[in-house]
Amino acid sequence: MNWIGESLHGAVALATAGDARLWAIIFLSLQVSLTAVALAAVAGCLAGAAVAVGRFPGRRLAIVLLNAAMGLPPVVVGLVVYLLLSRAGPLGSMGLLFTPGAMVIAQFLLIAPIIAALSRQVIEDAWREYEEQLRSLGVSGLGAALTLIWDTRFSLVTVLLAGLGRAMAEVGAVMIVGGNIDGVTRVMTTAIALETSKGDLPLALALGLILLAIVLGLNGLAYAVREWSVRRYG
Amino acid sequence: MTFIRRSFIASTLAAVLGAASLGAAAQDQFIVVASTTSTEQSGLFGHLLPVFEKKTGIKVRVVAVGTGQALDQGRRGDADVVFVHDKPAEEKFVADGFGGPRLEVMYNDFVLVGPKVDPAKAGGKDILEGLKKIEAAKAAFVSRADKSGTHAAEVRYWRAAGLEIDKVKGSWYRETGSGMGPALNTASSMDAYILADRGTWLSFKNRANLDIVVQGDTRLFNQYGVMLVNPARHPHVKKDLGQAFIDWLVSAEGQQTIAAYKIGGEQLFFPNAKR
């Protein structure tokens, strides 16, 4: 069990050494995943609310599709985005392949369905409770959707954290569309994969521990903000 | 409601702007080089590129994949330069008009790695004899099986040894479909034989019971070639910057820089550009 201690020690040493390259990788991981979560939060919550409140033909099918899309394999999403953004693909002229922008697109496609499916459930439960009330006030459609999103915002924070967790942990898609280019598209997960390839397992695990600490920190922050706003606005 | 809507719009805008700035992060001159895991993971690029970047101001973005995938990226126009090691596949790439001309840059060599105790008695200086003995003993052998340059070379060696690997392979022949490093990790955890390039082997840290079994056979030489992706086929290819990188690799300075790269006092790549 020596390797656990070695990696823990390595993680602490790395994190405290103030290595500029490590910080750049951490910063890029956060930048890519938080951007993807922000975009997916808007699209996902609106789509989730639309399916929760709306009554349209094929709604049940839409729910099943949304739920199934939570299980999209990252490597498949990565491959599809790669083929779209490749110079030989339909969006090739944008020159986005092997840039952080491409990684944001791939992560957005992975987490928007998760946020949509989970927020649909949360909002639908609230809709059952408040439907009559909202209807009696003459609120319907978009108004009702937005009211319910606001009303369930504290539960939706957990939904966003599920999306963020997926984004931060994902390696298959960003590896393909980002290319793991040193200093440009290398993020925590692809750096861990690279060090594993080099057989430097203690360093790989040390990086993994740092990634875990970051995710833990983000969740702690989200929890604190939530608690604070519940007390203030609850 | 207006407050909610406004904050939605604000957060959307912020996110979109954030994404836009990510796309335009680097305004400086750069090229994309599709290359192999062996050049990246052995640390050669980490040694080479700073010298080139300092001299020319051109940043080189390396996407390290197997030779097969690197050539495919070149065919699709996703790289400006392809720097790989599978001569037959490179010559086909050039003949099909995807890029070129192909210039030879350097070579390193493959080594047959296996358990220190060498259960198949494959050790020595003859790669073909070594492979025959592994097949005869049905000793565990890990294959990249990923259409990389190393995989292509491995298949050629089996054939040269008189063995059609697709016909003779059994449970002892394990196809991982992974890069050099992951395949080495697999081999070290199951005490298997594996063909590796010397650079990746020397920089590989998780060796466990493995060691070099066969080396020094001239047939194990592993030639690297470099090609500019055809700008006539892909107009966005950065022809001048890419050509500058190629010219530098085969120049006296580039060749000396390659020769100067060592791990533990051992030279990894031997420049042999024809000038």
Side-chain angles (χ1 to χ4, degrees):
Chain A
M1 282 321 208
N2 187 29
W3 55 273
I4 293 182
E6 197 183 329
S7 296
L8 260 177
H9 186 260
V12 172
L14 264 178
T16 51
D19 180 354
R21 286 179 60 197
L22 176 64
W23 289 114
I25 290 173
I26 291 174
F27 180 73
L28 184 64
S29 288
L30 290 172
Q31 198 181 10
V32 166
S33 294
L34 290 174
T35 307
V37 169
L39 293 170
V42 176
C45 287
L46 286 178
V51 177
V53 174
R55 289 293 172 266
F56 51 89
R59 178 173 173 274
R60 285 181 183 163
L61 181 65
I63 293 174
V64 172
L65 287 178
L66 268 185
N67 288 345
M70 289 197 287
L72 279 178
V75 67
V76 174
V77 170
L79 187 57
V80 170
V81 174
Y82 174 80
L83 291 172
L84 289 173
L85 297 183
S86 167
R87 290 288 181 173
L91 304 175
S93 58
M94 295 167 75
L96 272 174
L97 192 66
F98 303 143
T99 67
M103 299 156 82
V104 170
I105 293 171
Q107 291 199 340
F108 171 84
L109 292 177
L110 277 173
I111 59 183
I114 295 178
I115 294 177
L118 295 179
S119 66
R120 195 274 309 164
Q121 187 67 56
V122 167
I123 292 166
E124 191 167 310
D125 291 346
W127 176 235
R128 281 212 192 94
E129 204 170 320
Y130 296 117
E131 181 172 3
E132 273 181 42
Q133 202 180 339
L134 285 168
R135 283 201 194 283
S136 71
L137 289 169
V139 184
S140 66
L142 184 65
L146 293 176
T147 307
L148 290 169
I149 289 176
W150 180 247
D151 221 58
T152 55
R153 62 194 181 278
F154 299 123
S155 305
L156 290 180
V157 168
T158 310
V159 171
L160 298 192
L161 285 174
L164 181 67
R166 166 89 153 186
M168 293 290 292
E170 181 280 319
V171 61
V174 290
M175 184 68 102
I176 297 176
V177 304
N180 192 23
I181 299 170
D182 192 13
V184 182
T185 55
R186 185 162 298 163
V187 291
M188 287 301 281
T189 52
T190 59
I192 292 167
L194 177 65
E195 292 309 328
T196 307
S197 294
K198 289 181 181 171
D200 199 340
L201 306 189
L203 177 56
L205 191 56
L207 288 169
L209 290 172
I210 293 176
L211 179 59
L212 280 176
I214 294 168
V215 172
L216 187 65
L218 284 173
N219 276 276
L221 191 68
Y223 187 79
V225 168
R226 194 192 127 125
E227 286 294 290
W228 175 78
S229 45
V230 167
R231 241 177 288 129
R232 180 118 190 238
Y233 303 105
Chain B
M1 268 315 129
T2 45
F3 166 71
I4 300 171
R5 226 167 281 164
R6 208 175 292 154
S7 62
F8 257 125
I9 292 166
S11 60
T12 315
L13 268 179
V16 169
L17 289 175
S21 73
L22 283 171
Q27 291 297 335
D28 43 9
Q29 293 190 308
F30 70 88
I31 54 170
V32 173
V33 175
S35 191
T36 72
T37 49
S38 52
T39 36
E40 166 86 350
Q41 291 177 12
S42 63
L44 176 70
F45 278 129
H47 166 78
L48 220 50
L49 300 183
V51 181
F52 174 71
E53 285 171 5
K54 199 174 166 206
K55 187 182 166 84
T56 61
I58 303 170
K59 296 250 185 249
V60 179
R61 298 184 176 180
V62 177
V63 180
V65 288
T67 290
Q69 199 182 340
L71 287 169
D72 188 57
Q73 288 179 355
R75 275 193 287 273
R76 305 182 63 88
D78 293 328
D80 301 302
V81 172
V82 181
F83 186 7
V84 292
H85 65 112
D86 183 359
K87 195 172 171 185
E90 290 162 41
E91 282 170 345
K92 182 167 190 313
F93 180 85
V94 174
D96 292 346
F98 290 109
R102 171 181 177 276
L103 294 180
E104 304 206 322
V105 178
M106 62 189 188
Y107 67 91
N108 68 347
D109 62 341
F110 293 117
V111 291
L112 183 68
V113 168
K116 282 184 190 121
V117 294
D118 193 12
K121 303 275 172 281
K125 274 187 169 276
D126 189 326
I127 180 63
L128 305 185
E129 281 304 311
L131 289 179
K132 279 182 202 162
K133 283 178 178 158
I134 291 170
E135 193 272 336
K138 307 287 179 222
F141 184 96
V142 168
S143 170
R144 295 272 299 272
D146 64 347
K147 293 206 168 178
S148 60
T150 307
H151 175 227
E154 183 213 307
V155 172
R156 283 199 296 274
Y157 294 138
W158 285 113
R159 192 166 295 142
L163 296 163
E164 212 43 61
I165 192 62
D166 279 334
K167 297 214 177 81
V168 300
K169 70 184 178 193
S171 63
W172 58 276
Y173 185 79
R174 288 152 195 184
E175 296 173 277
T176 62
S178 57
M180 192 73 256
L184 278 168
N185 277 327
T186 308
S188 86
S189 65
M190 54 172 73
D191 278 343
Y193 291 93
I194 181 172
L195 186 75
D197 64 281
R198 189 185 293 271
T200 307
W201 169 252
L202 281 178
S203 53
F204 185 72
K205 296 201 169 74
N206 181 31
R207 294 182 184 177
N209 293 322
L210 299 187
D211 206 347
I212 291 177
V213 175
V214 177
Q215 62 180 334
D217 188 330
T218 50
R219 285 170 294 204
L220 287 169
F221 282 2
N222 174 30
Q223 180 67 45
Y224 284 79
V226 70
M227 289 144 285
L228 183 72
V229 173
N230 189 352
R233 201 178 270 262
H234 295 290
H236 60 270
V237 164
K238 294 172 181 159
K239 188 181 162 208
D240 297 337
L241 302 184
Q243 193 61 48
F245 180 58
I246 293 171
D247 290 345
W248 182 79
L249 280 177
V250 299
S251 73
E253 187 193 359
Q255 295 276 293
Q256 278 157 19
T257 313
I258 290 169
Y261 182 56
K262 292 185 172 124
I263 294 180
E266 197 164 343
Q267 182 174 343
L268 264 65
F269 295 93
F270 298 85
N272 67 340
K274 298 181 186 77
R275 270 169 289 135

